[in-house]
Amino acid sequence: MSSTQHTPLPYYEDVSPGAGALPPRPWTPSSDAARLSLNGTWSFRLSPTATAEDDSFARPGYDARGWDELPVPGHWVLHGHGAPIYTNVLYPFPVDPPHVPAENPTGDHLRVFDLPGDWPEGGDAVLRFEGVESCARVWLNGEELGTFKGSRLPHEFEVGSLLEPSGNVLAVRVHQWSSGSYLEDQDQWWLPGIFREVTLEHRPEGALADYFVHASYDHTTGEGTLRIDADPGGRVTVPELGLDLATGESATVPVEPWTAETPRLYAARLTTVGESVSLHVGFRTVVVEDGLLKVNGRRVLFRGVNRHEFHPENGRAVDLATMRRDLVLMKQHNINAVRTSHYPPHPAFLGLCDELGLWVIDECDLETHGFGVLDWRNNPVDDDRWTPALLDRAERMVERDKNHPSIVMWSLGNECGTGRGLSAMADWIRERDPSRVIHYEGDMSCADTDVYSRMYAPHEEVDQIGRRTEAPWGDPELDAKRRALPFIQCEYAHAMGNGPGGLGEYQRLFEAHERCQGGFVWEWIDHGFTRRAPDGRFYLVYGGDFGEELHDGNFVCDGLVFPDRTPSPGLIEYKKVIEPVRIEGDGARGTVRITNGHDFADLSHLVFTWSYEAEGEAIGSGELAVPPLSPGESADLKLPAPPGTAEAGAETRWTVEARLAAPTAWAEAGHTVAWAQLPTTASGAGRARPLASGEAARRDGDRIVLGPGVFDAATGALTALGGLPVTEPPRLDIWRAPTDNDNGASWQPDERWGLIWRTFGLHRVRHRTDAVETTPDGALTVRTRVAPAAVDFGLETVYRWTADEDGRLSLAVSVTPLGEWTCPLPRLGLRLGLPAALGEAEWFGGGPGEAYPDTRAAARVGRWALSVDELQTPYVRPQENGARIDVRWVRLTAPDGSGVRIEGEPAFWFTARRWTTEQLDAAEHTPDLEASNETVWVNLDHGQQGIGTQSCGPGVLDEHRLDVAPAEFSFTFSRLS
């Protein structure tokens, strides 16, 4: 007879959340209890497995002089020990829960510290870890304190009886992989280490074990009700409100409410016999009522963003100044909400949200996305053995963060499928804190949630949801419940590379349907790590650049800001689309309508200005008197008489701006919140001169001369303009280096045009010259066929050149499709090469940044000047970028002022680079782009395909497709001397 004996799992593989840690309590940044930061330089040793070393290092007297040094907070893989790993969905280890690989990098950390001389006697002390990935075992002075998992959550251990005045030895063993890793499959870098603060906190006799601030607001009376529960009890004072209360006692008084637009906080103090803490109280009430999410009685519209914690050198070890910088940038770009994807952030971040004013969805440190590709087999959230770990994570989030007025929703986690564990979390949270609503996107039934949340629902479906006419789902009772809930897009508009497109169309739906209460763009920042190239240049790397076995490439670079927090064109576009003030009007009639799109604030904090522009230059400006409209109100106003005199036929327009009247915590006075341009003449009216004519083309040996133009007689190719060499003659161009959104994602149902274009060979078209003719009217006509190899469709392209006595050379282009085209074009226009010395650009048209058909809201018509180098947008993975829209004319000049002026009819897209589109297409990182010393390549485009958001969302909307059709456009070239 035999029996099977099962060896108990090691602590890093068992499904428990750990052992020995104290119950969670609120994060309290301001207390009169003593604290000692243990941040700094620690001794560090990395082992290849969890069992390679014994625990002797934790004993006092251990000789660690041969160890390396490591900063804490920090990640050891960013300091020369191993390497980061990036995966979006797939686990980078075999899926065999709760087991992890034997190859389990394990970092032993040692810190020896003394107590300060004024450290209080008596009481107790706790050792607090704010964040450790992914599993830790802790000793102090040789005594084991316990183990814990839950990387982005705090853990505390009681240590008072173990402390010595000097020579305290703190030892922490951290395992990269643990059972907790199965719960932390968020779309981000895997970065082990002690990445948030470690603190020793004195806990005097009678110190606070817990406190809960309840501060509601009644919008019908204007009164707030405050009650603070505490253990142990004490007293609460709010001097500004004249309140002095016992804990547990309620008081109702007139207050100014807290909102993201008006983040009013009241300084309070909570005092027990052993401790006194400072609090910032914000009064607000969150409910779902009448099918809407309301705060203080009003529907709110989330103009949000998802935010991972990231720094290009320090990973998730993000300092306070960087957190504030993130939030200031958000506020400056009209963002009013943050989803803390996909874990609770550093607690200080939430305090900044309270102060600066942002709505927050606080999300639990939970994602099991990798089980999705396994049809959710063995998913921990539907396995009762894991429920204690799930509940532990929910409790630690709620108890840490419950006193922040900015938090309006608790989120159970992200992309976990469905299961009993999620329901248990929702039940616990709802009982503990009924003052907030519960969010989770992954369950279409909405069985456990108070809002209907989706990711990347296309525009058409959002419209149906807004009308409550979406397709039925599942159980009729749950379907009816879901239809009655408010709707948000917790992720939409994937900001990867060039894009996202379609933001304006989404925003119009959010504003048209009460039920659609906005969304959260994915995401805030590109997660590119800094690396130095051999030539000394810094650049950014992404998944796969660290030799990962599995990785998801640059899918980790999908933010509205670059890793150094420089705003991308996508953020500039988002700011314009989500403006909280709408400015519309009729420039020709001199009228303007101002509408307040805020949820709570009137317009008294703004000043409005106007300027009147001719050919892109202001000829008059002033202030516009706008009443302090309440939310939702509009006013129709008359603009002054146009000032000054514009040149006959000049293109004129009004620009109206809303600016901050006074400085705020996030911007200086004069910061632009919203703007609009109101043309007074038809766009370009009176601008376009007739195409050049008068000079006749003449043959001169193997050349044809037409005005300032010199052409190759055999091919009709322009080789010089007024003595300026043309390094690459103008010819039809239909290719662009596909954007991440062009390439799309493998799971997308729509056509992935970037792949289709390459399949059809649009990146390698051939140009055949069929005829070079000089016509009786003096023109030079070149007839060509442009087509890729291996297909029988193409474009018949006719170039007609003319010149005049003023030295202008004009080109009229006619394009006729041949055969059956089944895809749109990437672009349609001309490409030419000019001498590299022409490195300065000035143009009249849209700017100052790039724009495409569905990313053009932020393009302001004016006169702009940038160098060719400044025209480039340095996306982490190089791709199509830098096009300026609605250009009427552009000058490219050398330092001495010589160069070329190009006018277009109709207005065109202009792009200039020091590398070819083919080089841009081939590049994987920015150092791959080598600037030419000979040529600036210029694109003059009649059309561009839209951008869309198909790297994770819907593709290009029909109205922004560049479908193949007959086209005519023209350009006029003038030599500048």
Side-chain angles (χ1 to χ4, degrees):
M1 191 172 178
S2 64
S3 63
T4 302
Q5 293 186 340
H6 295 283
T7 303
L9 292 174
Y11 65 91
Y12 51 85
E13 284 192 327
D14 69 42
V15 298
S16 77
L22 293 167
R25 63 187 177 100
W27 186 68
T28 307
S30 179
S31 166
D32 63 357
R35 295 184 179 182
L36 176 64
S37 172
L38 298 178
N39 297 343
T41 301
W42 291 43
S43 298
F44 177 78
R45 174 183 66 189
L46 182 65
S47 301
T49 69
T51 57
E53 301 285 349
D54 61 27
D55 59 9
S56 60
F57 80 101
R59 299 171 197 156
Y62 181 85
D63 185 359
R65 283 178 295 179
W67 288 23
D68 293 315
E69 292 186 337
L70 187 75
V72 171
H75 303 278
W76 70 68
V77 293
L78 299 183
H79 294 276
H81 305 281
I85 300 170
Y86 168 59
T87 59
N88 170 27
V89 176
L90 301 177
Y91 290 102
F93 48 79
V95 180
D96 181 23
H99 301 289
V100 295
E103 298 87 356
N104 188 357
T106 295
D108 290 333
H109 301 68
L110 272 179
R111 174 81 153 86
V112 179
F113 66 93
D114 300 334
L115 293 180
D118 59 354
W119 189 261
E121 295 183 5
D124 205 338
V126 297
L127 182 65
R128 183 178 177 95
F129 296 87
E130 297 294 346
V132 181
E133 182 177 326
S134 74
C135 174
R137 185 180 180 190
V138 187
W139 298 262
L140 182 64
N141 292 330
E143 293 292 325
E144 183 171 352
L145 304 180
T147 63
F148 64 89
K149 310 179 189 87
S151 298
R152 268 67 72 174
L153 293 161
H155 295 82
E156 292 182 327
F157 298 93
E158 200 168 67
V159 296
S161 63
L162 300 176
L163 290 172
E164 301 290 345
S166 62
N168 293 283
V169 178
L170 175 57
V172 185
R173 173 163 284 172
V174 180
H175 305 289
Q176 174 155 13
W177 309 122
S178 70
S179 60
S181 302
Y182 286 101
L183 305 180
E184 296 173 3
D185 188 30
Q186 295 99 337
D187 174 11
Q188 61 178 344
W189 294 97
W190 298 87
L191 297 172
I194 305 173
F195 67 94
R196 289 184 186 158
E197 292 81 0
V198 182
T199 312
L200 182 68
E201 301 188 9
H202 184 241
R203 307 309 296 143
E205 192 72 32
L208 281 162
D210 188 25
Y211 61 93
F212 198 162
V213 177
H214 305 276
S216 61
Y217 179 72
D218 186 338
H219 66 280
T220 63
T221 65
E223 293 179 319
T225 299
L226 177 65
R227 185 186 86 247
I228 298 182
D229 299 329
D231 177 20
R235 296 204 69 78
V236 177
T237 56
V238 189
E240 193 174 355
L241 298 176
L243 295 179
D244 187 343
L245 307 170
T247 55
E249 181 182 352
S250 296
T252 300
V253 292
V255 297
E256 298 173 48
W258 188 97
T259 74
E261 295 167 5
T262 56
R264 182 67 161 92
L265 294 171
Y266 290 88
R269 193 143 197 100
L270 168 59
T271 303
T272 69
V273 66
E275 184 178 15
S276 182
V277 300
S278 297
L279 306 175
H280 293 96
V281 176
F283 292 88
R284 56 106 187 92
T285 296
V286 184
V287 297
V288 172
E289 182 180 76
D290 305 323
L292 301 175
L293 176 66
K294 297 180 181 179
V295 179
N296 302 338
R298 298 187 64 88
R299 168 191 183 260
V300 294
L301 182 61
F302 296 114
R303 300 171 169 93
V305 66
N306 287 274
R307 175 189 176 268
H308 268 299
E309 293 183 303
F310 185 76
H311 187 281
E313 294 173 354
N314 303 325
R316 279 189 287 282
V318 180
D319 60 276
L320 186 64
T322 300
M323 296 178 214
R324 181 177 286 274
R325 185 179 177 191
D326 278 344
L327 288 172
V328 164
L329 276 171
M330 290 178 196
K331 293 288 288 189
Q332 290 176 348
H333 290 85
N334 294 327
I335 290 168
N336 72 356
V338 178
R339 176 180 175 227
T340 69
S341 52
H342 297 293
Y343 42 84
H346 189 289
F349 180 82
L350 299 170
L352 292 172
C353 291
D354 296 340
E355 172 196 338
L356 297 173
L358 285 103
W359 309 115
V360 175
I361 299 179
D362 196 4
E363 192 149 87
C364 197
D365 188 11
L366 176 60
E367 179 168 338
T368 64
H369 202 173
F371 287 91
V373 298
L374 306 174
D375 296 323
W376 298 108
R377 292 188 304 275
N378 300 314
N379 185 9
V381 304
D382 201 29
D383 184 335
D384 292 338
R385 295 174 299 170
W386 292 81
T387 298
L390 305 184
L391 287 172
D392 179 75
R393 289 169 184 248
E395 292 168 17
R396 289 186 182 280
M397 172 181 71
V398 171
E399 299 296 359
R400 190 196 76 167
D401 298 343
K402 64 196 175 198
N403 296 317
H404 291 284
S406 55
I407 298 172
V408 293
M409 292 190 226
W410 300 116
S411 180
L412 302 180
N414 183 68
E415 292 175 319
C416 295
T418 59
R420 301 183 297 276
L422 292 170
S423 298
M425 293 169 70
D427 291 344
W428 185 90
I429 293 173
R430 197 168 272 120
E431 181 176 352
R432 179 60 172 144
D433 180 24
S435 71
R436 294 177 173 94
V437 301
I438 293 180
H439 167 272
Y440 177 66
E441 175 272 339
D443 184 0
M444 285 285 286
S445 77
C446 299
D448 296 316
T449 69
D450 301 306
V451 295
Y452 176 28
S453 177
R454 288 284 302 283
M455 293 181 182
Y456 308 106
H459 299 78
E460 181 181 7
E461 186 181 1
V462 171
D463 187 41
Q464 293 169 353
I465 292 169
R467 301 176 190 276
R468 301 186 193 268
T469 60
E470 68 267 29
W473 183 91
D475 177 86
E477 186 176 341
L478 286 173
D479 185 62
K481 176 200 172 187
R482 190 196 68 187
R483 287 176 186 277
L485 296 179
F487 173 74
I488 65 168
Q489 288 247 59
C490 69
E491 292 181 23
Y492 82 112
H494 198 246
M496 185 176 178
N498 187 333
L503 284 169
E505 289 81 0
Y506 271 124
Q507 193 65 21
R508 284 191 283 276
L509 292 168
F510 298 157
E511 294 176 359
H513 302 303
E514 262 200 333
R515 184 191 187 190
C516 296
Q517 295 192 237
F520 296 77
V521 167
W522 185 267
E523 65 155 307
W524 175 242
I525 189 167
D526 285 342
H527 303 200
F529 282 117
T530 304
R531 182 180 287 179
R532 188 189 289 270
D535 63 3
R537 286 184 295 169
F538 284 100
Y539 69 106
L540 295 156
V541 296
Y542 45 79
D545 289 328
F546 295 94
E548 299 102 308
E549 182 179 39
L550 289 175
H551 67 85
D552 286 290
N554 70 310
F555 201 74
V556 75
C557 295
D558 44 15
L560 291 171
V561 297
F562 296 119
D564 66 356
R565 271 128 176 118
T566 300
S568 77
L571 181 58
I572 307 302
E573 177 79 358
Y574 193 40
K575 174 184 178 179
K576 178 69 180 124
V577 165
I578 61 175
E579 289 173 340
V581 179
R582 193 179 312 119
I583 304 171
E584 304 162 301
D586 185 331
R589 295 175 179 269
T591 59
V592 61
R593 167 170 283 193
I594 308 294
T595 301
N596 183 1
H598 290 89
D599 295 325
F600 298 93
D602 64 23
L603 298 188
S604 59
H605 65 294
L606 300 175
V607 292
F608 289 78
T609 61
W610 59 266
S611 66
Y612 187 71
E613 295 139 20
E615 292 297 300
E617 294 189 324
I619 58 175
S621 62
E623 285 199 11
L624 185 66
V626 176
L629 302 170
S630 297
E633 288 187 340
S634 299
D636 292 306
L637 306 171
K638 187 72 176 171
L639 292 163
T645 4
E647 184 181 338
E651 187 176 339
T652 56
R653 61 180 33 79
W654 298 93
T655 297
V656 179
E657 296 188 73
R659 299 172 177 265
L660 289 180
T664 68
W666 47 270
E668 297 296 328
H671 168 80
T672 299
V673 172
W675 61 271
Q677 291 188 302
L678 311 174
T680 59
T681 56
S683 179
R687 171 188 55 79
R689 291 184 286 175
L691 292 178
S693 61
E695 291 281 321
R698 57 185 175 81
R699 291 186 175 270
D700 179 11
D702 59 358
R703 308 185 309 165
I704 295 175
V705 178
L706 176 60
V710 178
F711 300 81
D712 182 283
T715 64
L718 178 69
T719 59
L721 175 70
L724 183 77
V726 177
T727 59
E728 182 178 302
R731 65 180 185 178
L732 193 74
D733 190 15
I734 60 172
W735 180 243
R736 72 184 187 196
T739 67
D740 292 314
N741 287 304
D742 287 337
N743 288 332
S746 59
W747 58 84
Q748 297 292 10
D750 298 333
E751 297 92 344
R752 300 167 64 194
W753 294 124
L755 304 187
I756 293 172
W757 294 335
R758 206 177 293 277
T759 299
F760 284 154
L762 302 194
H763 60 305
R764 48 173 173 74
V765 297
R766 298 289 184 262
H767 299 255
R768 186 185 75 209
T769 301
D770 290 336
V772 178
E773 305 165 344
T774 54
T775 56
D777 61 359
L780 170 64
T781 300
V782 182
R783 304 182 187 278
T784 69
R785 186 179 191 275
V786 180
V791 298
D792 62 354
F793 54 80
L795 300 167
E796 181 183 71
T797 308
V798 178
Y799 307 92
R800 187 173 189 273
W801 293 93
T802 56
D804 66 11
E805 294 86 349
D806 295 332
R808 298 189 309 143
L809 183 68
S810 293
L811 169 61
V813 182
S814 172
V815 180
T816 304
L818 303 171
E820 184 180 353
W821 286 79
T822 57
C823 68
L825 295 174
R827 67 176 351 127
L828 180 67
L830 297 180
R831 181 171 94 170
L832 69 152
L834 296 171
L838 306 189
E840 299 296 324
E842 180 187 3
W843 73 97
F844 174 36
E850 72 181 26
Y852 292 82
D854 53 352
T855 65
R856 61 178 297 160
R860 191 187 299 216
V861 175
R863 289 182 64 161
W864 310 102
L866 290 170
S867 70
V868 167
D869 297 327
E870 291 170 328
L871 290 171
Q872 314 311 307
T873 303
Y875 293 114
V876 176
R877 186 193 72 81
Q879 57 198 273
E880 166 63 33
N881 73 89
R884 268 56 182 184
I885 199 169
D886 289 336
V887 175
R888 283 71 162 157
W889 56 258
V890 59
R891 295 190 186 105
L892 286 162
T893 57
D896 62 2
S898 64
V900 176
R901 174 185 167 111
I902 306 169
E903 301 170 62
E905 178 60 37
F908 57 97
W909 274 273
F910 156 70
T911 311
R913 303 189 181 101
R914 296 192 180 277
W915 38 78
T916 65
T917 299
E918 291 75 19
Q919 290 169 322
L920 184 63
D921 187 11
E924 295 293 335
H925 300 88
T926 51
D928 297 339
L929 295 167
E930 295 290 343
S932 170
N933 295 321
E934 299 177 354
T935 301
V936 169
W937 283 272
V938 178
N939 277 93
L940 310 170
D941 289 321
H942 175 64
Q944 277 267 1
Q945 167 87 345
I947 297 296
T949 182
Q950 202 178 2
S951 53
C952 197
V956 176
L957 294 171
D958 288 348
E959 58 265 38
H960 302 306
R961 282 174 39 142
L962 183 58
D963 288 322
V964 179
E968 293 185 350
F969 49 93
S970 61
F971 298 99
T972 297
F973 302 84
S974 305
R975 177 80 162 91
L976 303 175
S977 58

